[in-house]
């Protein structure tokens, strides 16, 4: 059985990762979304087990100690982590899995899973990034300032990813990601013997 792709989409907060991933999952129903655990409080409309597994800091620390995470990071003062077991199970079953995580987490996954497809999503500009974070209306003034200050450093790390994708419009960004995935799947399936080489 062929192993599924491990797709990692990362980028500064507010770039549009959540929005683009949602569009991608609507277009490609065969991709499973990796639901992370977090110690942050749920936002309006978020459901435990759908957007995140919402856990207390203590519960999260117990999960770290039990080795339950592929990676975890402290992002803006809260824990976020990728549960390991579902990823191994799904990839072994040939299913593609999508991780939407921050840059620290993505760099850790690059170490552990060098065969992953690492995609860095870029905003058109810092000004547009600020408009998007503010426009989302989910953050306090302080949280916006913290996320913007981190964005510059995060964008510098974008160089380490195999792919960079501009999120100018959600449709164009998703098209670009689909092109990357088609190429990665073809590469994984390619059998040189078929061409009598
Ligand atoms: P992230 O998951 O990277 O933090 P979100 O997906 O929550 O970002 O997007 C942040 C805000 O920007 C949201 O209000 C979203 O609707 C908006 N947004 C996302 N992509 C685009 C885009 N291509 N053009 C304009 N607005 C966008
Ligand atoms: P938010 O609080 O806006 O949902 O997410 C804040 C940041 O944490 C985002 O950049 C998001 O991608 C990242 N994040 C979400 N889940 C994980 C995870 O499992 N691991 C890591 N390292 N980052 C995550």
């Amino acid at each position: 059985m062929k192993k599924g792709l491990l797709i990692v989409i990362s980028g500064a907060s507010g770039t549009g990762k959540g929005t683009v991933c949602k569009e991608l999952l609507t277009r490609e129903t065969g991709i499973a979304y990796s639901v992370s655990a977090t110690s942050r409080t749920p936002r309006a409309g978020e459901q435990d087990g759908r957007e995140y597994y919402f856990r207390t800091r203590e519960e999260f620390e117990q999960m770290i100690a039990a080795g339950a995470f592929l990676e975890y990071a402290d992002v803006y003062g809260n824990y976020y982590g990728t549960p390991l077991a579902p990823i191994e199970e799904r990839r072994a079953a040939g299913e593609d899995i999508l991780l939407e995580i921050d840059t620290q987490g993505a760099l850790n996954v690059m170490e552990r899973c060098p065969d992953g497809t690492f995609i860095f999503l870029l905003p058109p500009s810092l000004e547009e990034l600020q408009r998007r974070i503010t426009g989302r209306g989910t953050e306090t003034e302080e949280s916006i300032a913290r996320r913007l200050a981190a964005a510059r450093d995060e964008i510098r790390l974008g160089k380490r990813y195999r792919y960079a994708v501009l999120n100018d419009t959600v449709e164009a960004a998703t098209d670009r990601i689909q092109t990357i995935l088609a190429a990665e799947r073809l590469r994984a399936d390619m059998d040189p013997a078929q061409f009598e080489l």
Side-chain angles (χ1 to χ4, degrees):
M1 163 79 79
K2 172 175 75 69
K3 225 172 146 186
L5 295 180
L6 175 71
I7 308 158
V8 179
I9 297 192
S10 192
S13 175
T15 303
K17 298 183 295 293
T19 310
V20 169
C21 286
K22 212 163 153 196
E23 175 64 18
L24 179 66
L25 293 172
T26 310
R27 294 190 194 181
E28 301 221 9
T29 50
I31 301 177
Y33 180 77
S34 163
V35 178
S36 298
T38 183
S39 65
R40 87 151 159 72
T41 47
R43 292 179 187 140
E46 285 184 335
Q47 249 177 48
D48 185 44
R50 190 179 64 189
E51 282 81 12
Y52 287 103
Y53 296 107
F54 294 99
R55 297 291 180 263
T56 62
R57 287 190 77 83
E58 294 67 36
E59 286 167 343
F60 200 102
E61 281 164 5
Q62 281 164 13
M63 290 171 78
I64 297 172
F69 294 118
L70 169 64
E71 62 74 37
Y72 70 92
D74 189 313
V75 190
Y76 319 118
N78 288 305
Y79 283 127
Y80 292 83
T82 306
L84 178 60
I87 293 181
E88 290 184 331
E89 284 158 20
R90 290 183 141 142
R91 288 192 79 194
E95 230 183 311
D96 296 336
I97 185 142
L98 172 65
L99 273 57
E100 180 204 323
I101 60 177
D102 92 310
T103 44
Q104 304 169 63
L107 294 180
N108 288 332
V109 179
M110 277 180 211
E111 298 282 315
R112 282 187 76 170
C113 310
D115 68 337
T117 303
F118 294 90
I119 302 175
F120 192 80
L121 203 61
L122 278 165
S125 65
L126 270 184
E127 291 70 31
E128 173 61 14
L129 181 67
Q130 180 163 12
R131 270 193 292 277
R132 288 184 189 174
I133 302 181
T134 313
R136 191 169 60 186
T138 53
E139 309 308 316
T140 59
E141 283 290 318
E142 187 209 341
S143 170
I144 293 172
R146 199 156 16 135
R147 283 169 190 246
L148 273 176
R152 289 189 180 82
D153 293 332
E154 288 186 289
I155 291 171
R156 271 187 211 110
L157 295 173
K159 279 268 183 202
R160 303 214 203 156
Y161 291 63
R162 179 173 292 270
Y163 301 105
V165 165
L166 179 68
N167 180 20
D168 44 3
T169 70
V170 176
E171 290 66 32
T174 313
D175 288 348
R176 293 176 187 120
I177 293 173
Q178 283 191 294
T179 304
I180 291 168
L181 298 183
E184 289 278 314
R185 289 188 186 114
L186 185 59
R187 188 167 70 144
D189 289 347
M190 202 166 62
D191 176 10
Q194 195 186 334
F195 298 94
E196 295 170 9
L197 295 172

